[in-house]
Amino acid sequence: MASRVLLQCVRSLGRPSLRLSAANLAVRATAAPAAARRPLSFAADSRRPRWLGQSSIPSVGVLCRQYGDLPPLTLETIKDRVMYVLKLYDKINPEKLQTSSHFMKDLGLDSLDQVEIIMAMEDEFGFEIPDAEAEKLMSPGEIVQYIADKKDVYE
Amino acid sequence: KRSSAKTRPLSGAARVVKPIFSRDLDEAKRRVRELYRAWYREVPNTVALFQLDITSRQGRDKVREMFDKNKHVTDPRVIDMLVIKGKLELQETIHVWKQKTHVMRYFHETEEARPADFLSKFYRGHDP
């Protein structure tokens, strides 16, 4: 049903936008002297391909309603973002970084480094992680699991 | 000799004392982490507010250095006391009760290091 409404929306704004667009005005200006001879067919011919051309998204999306929200999270995107942020951290060697690598044992980080990493994750995903739960997150896989639990992302 | 015999088992065994805030080492470490978080988030605001000539990264490294200086402490009460002092410093920095010079005192820019080995002390003149 929503798709039908959308199609009607597209069709209804396809027509008035033709009158408003400058290209069409130029065509009409040139067509005006020849308008006496073949007004309808010329306009009809010029309308159809132009409407098909304008049915592509950019002009259509302007008058449709858009809601502001982030794209939905998936486990893959969470994992990609977490690994991206971790690779940017200068105390971690990006080659040695794996999803299951332990921060303290494998990567040789400090507890304060782990606090910094959790803070970077908070900034990335935009929600607070309390310290009681943050001190248990010791590898990127655990961080991904925790964020998926908090944000209700599952497969 | 008798007094040393009495104090020896007492100093070896763990004494039960009245805690300041945290009852065990884990709780004390949690307080330390919370304080570190607060300082970490505060450093860029401090650099902007006091118009310091350092970068945020240098500020954060300095915060880490101050925390690492007391890394070896294991007594929860001592840790609590250090956390309380850190919170005092943080409050003074946030509310701008300090001034630029007080914040820059952490960086010891114009201080000379005290001589550690015998010859340097000798050249400077013995200062006990």
Side-chain angles (χ1 to χ4, degrees), chain A residues 7-22:
Chain A
L7 275 172
Q8 280 175 8
C9 187
V10 164
R11 263 185 236 124
S12 65
L13 60 88
R15 278 171 238 130
S17 67
L18 282 175
R19 281 179 228 128
L20 292 171
S21 67

Side-chain angles (χ1 to χ4, degrees), chain A residues 40-109:
Chain A
L40 288 166
S41 59
F42 187 79
D45 286 333
S46 67
R47 186 175 292 166
R48 230 177 281 122
R50 195 159 290 120
W51 184 73
L52 286 171
Q54 275 176 346
S55 68
S56 64
I57 296 175
S59 60
V60 165
V62 171
L63 290 179
C64 273
R65 185 169 292 188
Q66 288 171 343
Y67 298 99
D69 199 3
L70 296 168
L73 290 173
T74 62
L75 278 179
E76 275 303 309
T77 56
I78 296 177
K79 191 172 90 74
D80 290 335
R81 280 163 81 177
V82 166
M83 299 306 270
Y84 182 70
V85 169
L86 285 176
K87 280 178 186 147
L88 287 176
Y89 191 45
D90 53 352
K91 289 190 194 172
I92 294 185
N93 190 4
E95 279 101 54
K96 276 167 58 175
L97 182 65
Q98 305 269 314
T99 314
S100 56
S101 49
H102 198 268
F103 289 138
M104 304 229 188
K105 293 179 207 158
D106 296 333
L107 300 170
L109 295 176

Side-chain angles (χ1 to χ4, degrees), chain B:
Chain B
K1 254 196 183 177
R2 209 180 289 161
S3 57
S4 65
K6 269 188 203 161
T7 53
R8 236 187 288 125
L10 273 178
S11 59
R15 292 183 355 217
V16 178
V17 288
K18 185 178 142 196
I20 298 184
F21 278 138
S22 38
R23 268 160 269 165
D24 53 353
L25 196 57
D26 286 332
E27 246 184 273
K29 288 195 171 168
R30 197 171 297 161
R31 279 178 213 279
V32 171
R33 279 193 288 262
E34 289 287 347
L35 184 66
Y36 184 72
R37 275 198 199 208
W39 267 112
Y40 190 89
R41 290 258 155 83
E42 182 52 31
V43 165
N45 303 334
T46 302
V47 165
L49 196 54
F50 289 88
Q51 294 173 356
L52 301 175
D53 296 320
I54 55 166
T55 60
S56 289
R57 184 177 285 240
Q58 284 173 303
R60 283 178 170 158
D61 288 340
K62 177 55 74 173
V63 169
R64 173 64 74 95
E65 190 189 310
M66 303 305 283
F67 272 78
D68 283 340
K69 239 188 346 181
N70 299 318
K71 206 169 26 171
H72 57 277
V73 179
T74 54
D75 188 1
R77 292 187 306 160
V78 176
I79 295 177
D80 282 343
M81 207 58 228
L82 292 166
V83 163
I84 287 168
K85 297 192 109 180
K87 278 189 188 172
L88 290 172
E89 301 281 323
L90 183 64
Q91 190 182 27
E92 287 165 11
T93 310
I94 290 179
H95 290 288
V96 198
W97 297 339
K98 286 196 189 206
Q99 279 135 19
K100 187 172 176 175
T101 168
H102 301 113
V103 177
M104 290 311 281
R105 257 170 226 178
Y106 288 113
F107 287 86
H108 302 294
E109 272 171 17
T110 48
E111 252 180 55
E112 275 181 24
R114 278 175 148 222
D117 57 332
F118 175 76
L119 263 183
S120 317
K121 279 193 225 170
F122 184 73
Y123 292 143
R124 204 175 278 203
H126 282 287
D127 192 14

